[in-house]
Amino acid sequence: MTEDKRPILVFGATGRQGGAVTRALLHRGWPVRALVRDPACETATVLRQAGAEIFQGTFAEAETIHTAMRDAHGVFSVLPGYLPEQDEVQIGCMLADLAAETGIAHLVYSSGASSGDKPTGVARFDAKPRIEAHIRRLPLTATIVRPMIFMDMLLAPVFGLNEGRYTFLLRPEQSMQLVAVEDIGKFVAAIFDDRPRFGGRTIKIASDTVTGNELGAIFSEAAGRLIAYSRIPDDVLAANDALSSLAAILDDGPLADHVDLDAMREINPDITSFRSWLAVDGRRALSAALG
Ligand SMILES: NC(=O)c1ccc[n+]([C@@H]2O[C@H](COP(=O)([O-])OP(=O)(O)OC[C@H]3O[C@@H](n4cnc5c(N)ncnc54)[C@H](OP(=O)(O)O)[C@@H]3O)[C@@H](O)[C@H]2O)c1
């Protein structure tokens, strides 16, 4: 638990990761300053009611961000996924530069588990290692987290749940790792709590491991009816560059790495299994996906 009562400045607090980080930091007693575009929006109101200080600003306003950082202890940086690669790199580097200039004690940057030594060829993945490299060159203490695949991504309408099947990129016996977005918040809060332990590190974070067949079994159990698992056929993969790049990253790229879940539990003892996520946080989205 922190002794430092200066706030953590959270970007993206009205979004998934920033929202989870805000909740977890407040829970652990950190003051949170949330930079939001629209302080009157419903999500900002909920954040304010939960105890966060709302600070109006956008990524386009470097002066405002500088002011928001001035008396902060830490910064949580996450960028929206829809930015063009060059904009993501520019904003991610700008936020880190401002953190270094204002003497921020601890920057936590949320990158992606697809970041590795080599570009993947997927623009939204390849911005992140460039931002990571920039952060490592700066004179500030930073921790880079690389979340594995978000559990809610598996409920996207394209995988066939509404037709009573699940068709995905994994071979039936192949495994991949997932993370619950609320767990990202808990990991990041634990990282801010222990700067000496986590400062300077790059950490992949995961909550559970599942195979293709296990996805079928878990979805069947949650839906109360059979959801058969199959891999997207090779000819469909071969005809779709985006899908085949993703399959390659899962087969033997950075998403094939396996994070030690016991080591994860040492940081966040409450990691969420996919099964329990579907029963609680993911329940409504699962119902919608099943149609
Ligand atoms: N590992 C995975 O499976 C996975 C899955 C999805 C995403 N991701 C990664 O996660 C990241 C996105 O995180 P997320 O899902 O938490 O994002 P999100 O839910 O889309 O939230 C984006 C946040 O950024 C804010 N924002 C957008 N434009 C802004 C601007 N110009 N100035 C200031 N704030 C702005 C949004 O505010 P408003 O509320 O005002 O819009 C919102 O709070 C991306 O890097 C993406 O690649 C990973």
Side-chain angles (χ1 to χ4, degrees):
M1 190 66 72
T2 174
E3 295 298 313
D4 194 325
K5 288 300 168 204
R6 290 178 300 155
I8 308 282
L9 176 65
V10 175
F11 291 95
T14 53
R16 289 184 292 188
Q17 296 192 60
V21 167
T22 299
R23 288 186 283 281
L25 285 170
L26 289 171
H27 182 72
R28 283 178 178 250
W30 282 98
V32 172
R33 179 175 295 155
L35 187 123
V36 304
R37 292 197 283 189
D38 176 9
C41 75
E42 199 181 325
T43 322
T45 303
V46 172
L47 293 171
R48 192 184 292 108
Q49 285 166 350
E53 174 195 354
I54 303 298
F55 202 100
Q56 182 173 21
T58 74
F59 294 134
E61 300 165 58
E63 269 305 312
T64 305
I65 293 172
H66 193 272
T67 307
M69 284 185 184
R70 211 175 288 145
D71 62 344
H73 165 87
V75 168
F76 174 70
S77 167
V78 65
L79 303 175
Y82 54 76
L83 293 174
E85 181 176 350
Q86 199 47 42
D87 291 0
E88 184 171 347
V89 172
Q90 186 267 320
I91 297 168
C93 294
M94 181 264 292
L95 297 183
D97 288 343
L98 288 172
E101 270 169 49
T102 45
I104 289 296
H106 197 178
L107 168 72
V108 178
Y109 166 59
S110 182
S111 175
S114 50
S115 297
D117 300 334
K118 289 182 287 185
T120 61
V122 181
R124 70 177 188 283
F125 294 162
D126 289 340
K128 293 174 175 62
R130 295 170 63 193
I131 299 170
E132 289 189 6
H134 183 82
I135 289 173
R136 291 191 188 97
R137 287 194 291 269
L138 291 174
L140 93 162
T141 299
T143 305
I144 293 167
V145 293
R146 293 174 170 176
M148 284 293 190
I149 298 166
F150 294 1
M151 291 182 181
D152 49 335
M153 300 301 290
L154 298 195
L155 299 180
V158 291
F159 302 126
L161 279 174
N162 60 340
E163 294 167 8
R165 60 179 169 84
Y166 198 73
T167 308
F168 191 65
L169 297 159
L170 294 177
R171 289 182 298 281
E173 305 297 337
Q174 183 183 357
S175 64
M176 68 175 175
Q177 289 190 305
L178 305 173
V179 67
V181 171
E182 283 305 306
D183 285 356
I184 300 177
K186 291 176 188 169
F187 283 115
V188 169
I191 287 167
F192 276 119
D193 271 359
D194 199 344
R195 177 175 175 264
R197 178 176 172 200
F198 296 111
R201 289 175 60 186
T202 298
I203 306 170
K204 277 196 169 165
I205 55 178
S207 308
D208 199 4
T209 308
V210 287
T211 64
N213 281 336
E214 284 166 353
L215 283 177
I218 293 168
F219 280 127
S220 298
E221 190 184 302
R225 58 187 146 97
L226 180 67
I227 306 280
Y229 181 80
S230 60
R231 175 171 151 102
I232 297 174
D234 286 344
D235 57 330
V236 176
L237 283 180
N240 184 318
D241 285 348
L243 282 180
S244 54
S245 304
L246 271 178
I249 299 169
L250 276 165
D251 281 349
D252 57 9
L255 289 179
D257 288 355
H258 270 247
V259 176
D260 176 356
L261 293 181
D262 287 334
M264 292 288 102
R265 279 188 200 91
E266 279 177 26
I267 306 174
N268 164 25
D270 302 325
I271 59 174
T272 311
S273 69
F274 187 50
R275 188 175 263 108
S276 60
W277 180 83
L278 281 176
V280 184
D281 287 355
R283 191 175 170 164
R284 190 178 299 176
L286 174 65
S287 296
L290 290 167

